[in-house]
Amino acid sequence: MQVAPQTIDSVVIRFAGDSGDGMQLTGTQFTDTSALAGNDLATFPDFPAEIRAPAGSLAGVSGFQVHISSLEVFTPGDEPDVLIAMNPAALKANLKDLRKGGVLILDTDQFTEKNLARVGYKQNPIEDGSLAAYKIHRVDITGMTLRSIEEQGLNQRAAVRCKNFFALGLVYWMYNRTLEHTLTWIEAKFPGKPEIAEANRRALKAGYHYGETAELFTHSYVINQAVIEPGTYRNISGNEALALGLVAAAELSGLDLFLGSYPITPASDVLHALSRYKHMGVRTFQAEDEIAAIASAVGASYSGALAITTTSGPGMLLKAEAMNLALMMELPLIVIDIQRGGPSTGLPTKTEQSDLMMAMYGRNGESPIPIIAPCSPGDCFYAVIEAARIALETMSPVILLSDGYIANGSEPWKVPSMAEIPKIEVKFATDAAGFKPYSRDEKLARPWAIPGTPGLEHRIGGIEKENITGNVSYTPENHEFMSNLRAEKVQRVADRYARTEIFGDSSGELLVIGWGGTHGAIRSG
């Protein structure tokens, strides 16, 4: 017999199944609905690295974890409280993370001898007692989905694909979520396919009503609204925030935005997102390789655009020479590295903060470049605006280090007013009288002279320049002077920031210093 819902502060839920089971969609819908309910949250999708991995294999497992709370949330959570496993592979790949005493919801229809053997189970874990440490709910998700939509006349493959909505409806009931947002989404997603839309609606409602009526579940849970600063909020991922921040930086500086990029996981979404802003003067160029991508961005910067190139770890290696070209030419350029596990191809869909030393020292010669690292998905918006500000005000390339954890994760983000963000001052050289291409202002920035401006012709290129004149110089004295000057320019960037504030006690035996995406774990630790 079911009892009144139990109020809890927070829960960490992980949806896991085959890459074709719609776990990312399921998690996203649950996230959006929870955001609309007023919860604070953080998410982390987990993608398989293999393309078209065999169905039911460990390599093909896809997951989506979401942490929802009535309190402030800093991470998607470590150990899930609830694991929804759509097949044996999903169970085996994720069980080690589920906290002891946690809830397991298993699609019993998929625990066949064939599926069990494929991932190395000699016995069915549902029946052999190996899951005794968890609260197991055996649910025939696939079977009940098929029975709930049999009148729609879908073929077997299309019908089975609706089972993620059954699972979603069940979890909606467990945590007292409304179905309205997802029902509206289904309507918009399948406007020309009424039979598929109706099948998904029925599966969603069937899962919800199964939770209501099955004696399997003793109670549901309520997570109250979080206390958050008033304003307009949206759910945003790190890569989405980077794209919006770049568009905002172009608006704040009055420049055209150019992105030269080569697709690479997990940076490709920035290219995809910016390509949708052509109506705002954004130009995106998908190059044939990483070298061409950054070379096009250097050219765009030379012509007076806010120039960006995006990549992930392996691509940073290929961009190093052109980064030094921008450094020697002293042109503004933003290099965005969405870090992933390495070395080489490494772990394309897994997170690792592995590129800091490369960003600092991975170029030939003395080549200092400012580095910015956002600490959360929402912070990416402000971090990339700051990167643009530094690049444009100091005439220097800037590296922004995000990572897969931040890029793919999401959180509620308060949408700012553009009036709240200071303008980025950009001055192009226009007066030929007394023009010197390597003269300096108080930030040690040289003039930005657009090609074709009468009287401002000057040498460019990667060979060392003479101070002030910009002529080619091979003298050791000038090279030492210019190397120190470029280093001093980067050092002065730090002068614009206040001292780092310590979170916690002002003294103690251990000081933990982190950067980037470790912020949430350190704050909540």
Side-chain angles (χ1 to χ4, degrees):
M1 180 177 179
Q2 295 176 352
V3 296
Q6 177 183 343
T7 299
I8 58 176
D9 289 331
S10 63
V11 67
V12 178
I13 302 171
R14 182 180 297 178
F15 300 90
D18 264 336
S19 56
D21 282 342
M23 295 297 95
Q24 307 302 323
L25 171 60
T26 305
T28 300
Q29 286 297 309
F30 188 83
T31 298
D32 291 347
T33 296
S34 297
L36 290 170
N39 298 133
D40 197 6
L41 58 88
T43 73
F44 184 63
D46 185 24
F47 307 96
E50 288 75 6
I51 298 174
R52 300 185 185 276
S57 68
L58 291 171
V61 173
S62 176
F64 190 104
Q65 183 162 304
V66 55
H67 179 188
I68 60 173
S69 181
S70 58
L71 308 174
E72 190 173 10
V73 169
F74 294 102
T75 74
D78 292 324
E79 298 179 318
D81 302 297
V82 180
L83 172 61
I84 299 93
M86 304 296 282
N87 60 19
L91 175 65
K92 192 164 191 177
N94 292 280
L95 184 62
K96 64 183 182 301
D97 297 330
L98 184 65
R99 70 168 178 83
K100 293 296 185 286
V103 173
L104 258 177
I105 299 176
L106 304 175
D107 183 1
T108 55
D109 183 87
Q110 297 300 308
F111 280 72
T112 62
E113 289 186 12
K114 180 180 179 181
N115 288 346
L116 291 166
R118 182 178 286 125
V119 295
Y121 278 123
K122 295 181 179 179
Q123 294 179 305
N124 191 335
I126 298 177
E127 301 169 352
D128 67 5
S130 62
L131 303 179
Y134 310 99
K135 299 174 183 176
I136 307 173
H137 297 299
R138 303 166 178 84
V139 183
D140 182 13
I141 293 176
T142 300
M144 286 191 284
T145 298
L146 294 177
R147 290 192 290 275
S148 70
I149 65 173
E150 57 187 357
E151 296 178 4
Q152 298 310 113
L154 300 181
N155 61 45
Q156 179 75 7
R157 182 179 180 184
V160 168
R161 292 182 67 179
C162 297
K163 65 182 180 180
N164 63 323
F165 280 98
F166 185 100
L168 178 60
L170 174 57
V171 180
Y172 275 165
W173 172 82
M174 289 179 65
Y175 292 95
N176 280 271
R177 313 280 94 168
T178 176
L179 303 181
E180 295 309 311
H181 170 74
T182 299
L183 290 172
T184 301
W185 181 89
I186 291 171
E187 193 72 28
K189 179 68 175 178
F190 304 106
K193 300 178 180 178
E195 69 285 354
I196 293 179
E198 180 60 20
N200 284 314
R201 281 194 292 266
R202 290 191 179 197
L204 181 72
K205 293 178 180 179
Y208 188 93
H209 294 310
Y210 176 77
E212 269 187 325
T213 57
E215 296 182 358
L216 193 65
F217 299 90
T218 55
H219 52 71
S220 61
Y221 303 91
V222 170
I223 299 175
N224 292 325
Q225 290 186 353
V227 178
I228 59 176
E229 183 182 354
T232 300
Y233 286 80
R234 58 160 290 182
N235 192 43
I236 199 167
S237 72
N239 278 349
E240 290 171 333
L242 282 177
L244 290 177
L246 288 168
V247 174
E251 179 71 19
L252 292 167
S253 62
L255 299 178
D256 291 332
L257 179 65
F258 176 89
L259 170 66
S261 183
Y262 179 75
I264 184 171
T265 302
S268 299
D269 284 342
V270 181
L271 171 61
H272 301 160
L274 282 177
S275 68
R276 295 193 288 266
Y277 292 101
K278 294 182 178 66
H279 62 287
M280 298 186 70
V282 176
R283 299 292 179 264
T284 54
F285 170 59
Q286 181 173 316
E288 65 269 27
D289 56 42
E290 295 282 5
I291 299 171
I294 188 171
S296 69
V298 172
S301 177
Y302 181 51
S303 69
L306 174 57
I308 321 295
T309 188
T310 53
T311 191
S312 295
M316 278 284 282
L317 295 171
L318 296 168
K319 292 182 187 293
E321 183 177 3
M323 271 190 267
N324 262 0
L325 175 61
L327 182 148
M328 185 63 82
M329 294 165 63
E330 299 193 48
L331 287 174
L333 175 70
I334 302 175
V335 181
I336 297 176
D337 176 16
I338 314 294
Q339 299 168 95
R340 69 190 207 188
S344 186
T345 304
L347 304 166
T349 62
K350 310 303 178 186
T351 298
E352 191 172 88
Q353 281 189 330
S354 55
D355 295 347
L356 178 60
M357 294 298 104
M358 176 171 63
M360 294 177 69
Y361 307 116
R363 294 169 300 280
N364 68 298
E366 299 293 327
S367 52
I369 293 180
I371 300 169
I372 296 289
C375 66
S376 69
D379 188 47
C380 287
F381 176 85
Y382 298 100
V384 80
I385 292 176
E386 184 65 11
R389 191 181 304 277
I390 294 170
L392 295 169
E393 291 181 357
T394 66
M395 292 292 288
S396 171
V398 175
I399 295 171
L400 186 141
L401 288 180
S402 181
D403 58 53
Y405 170 88
I406 294 174
N408 295 322
S410 64
E411 65 179 357
W413 177 65
K414 185 182 177 183
V415 179
S417 165
M418 288 295 289
E420 301 170 358
I421 307 173
K423 295 285 187 180
I424 301 175
E425 296 298 327
V426 176
K427 296 179 181 178
F428 292 113
T430 57
D431 188 2
F435 171 73
K436 299 294 181 182
Y438 281 81
S439 60
R440 308 281 169 176
D441 65 12
E442 70 281 359
K443 295 184 175 70
L444 300 183
R446 79 173 186 90
W448 198 358
I450 304 303
T453 306
L456 302 189
E457 297 83 1
H458 60 285
R459 289 180 179 271
I460 63 166
I463 296 177
E464 182 65 275
K465 303 299 183 294
E466 185 179 66
N467 184 38
I468 307 297
T469 69
N471 295 330
V472 171
S473 173
Y474 292 100
T475 67
E477 295 81 7
N478 180 77
H479 178 55
E480 179 184 22
F481 180 84
M482 294 296 283
S483 294
N484 290 335
L485 195 64
R486 290 187 289 264
E488 175 63 21
K489 180 164 65 170
V490 173
Q491 287 296 320
R492 290 190 184 186
V493 171
D495 295 342
R496 64 180 68 204
Y497 302 113
R499 292 175 61 87
T500 300
E501 295 183 7
I502 296 175
F503 175 76
D505 297 333
S506 59
S507 63
E509 296 181 358
L510 177 65
L511 174 65
V512 179
I513 300 176
W515 63 276
T518 62
H519 170 265
I522 292 171
R523 282 293 303 269
S524 59

